[in-house]
Amino acid sequence: MGVRDGKLTAKRTATSLVVGTLTMALCAVAAVVLIWSVAVPTGPDVCVLTYPGPRNCFVSDRSDAAVASTLVLGVTFAVALIASVTLFRRWSWVVEAGAALVFFAGAAAFVAVAWIPAWA
């Protein structure tokens, strides 16, 4: 991340790129697993025993929210990854910003699927 004789030190920037992109990938995979684990209601106390049940009790309604969240998260991950790979030599902070963006997008998607029944 330093400059020696007009050239970037390749080892430190390559290491930060690899670590940053792996962090982005792990955050994205963890978010998708969490999203799809809450997308399907489970357990005995999930839905009220009335017919018809609440809107967020049906798997089809919850899966629509999970698909939309997964697509948004995938696009966010792709943009962050492309920006990190193309811009990391000039601005090393882009990798960390991309990892933070993927983390917060995954957290927001999980919260939206899990606790916003109007969207489900």
Side-chain angles (χ1 to χ4, degrees), residues 19-32 77 102:
V19 169
T21 54
L22 285 177
T23 303
M24 278 188 255
L26 287 174
C27 287
V29 168
V32 168
F77 173 69
V102 170

Side-chain angles (χ1 to χ4, degrees), residues 18-108:
V18 170
V19 169
T21 54
L22 285 177
T23 303
M24 278 188 255
L26 287 174
C27 287
V29 168
V32 168
V33 167
L34 287 173
I35 287 168
W36 284 98
S37 69
V38 299
V40 180
T42 58
D45 298 328
V46 171
C47 297
V48 180
L49 296 175
T50 59
Y51 187 77
R55 190 172 158 219
N56 61 344
C57 279
F58 298 107
V59 175
S60 61
D61 292 335
R62 304 278 301 214
S63 65
D64 291 342
V67 167
S69 292
T70 303
L71 289 176
V72 168
L73 186 61
V75 169
T76 303
F77 173 69
V79 168
L81 186 65
I82 290 169
S84 295
V85 169
T86 57
L87 300 174
F88 87 99
R89 288 192 184 264
R90 180 170 294 189
W91 299 299
S92 62
W93 56 267
V94 172
V95 179
E96 289 85 11
L101 178 68
V102 170
F103 174 78
F104 287 119

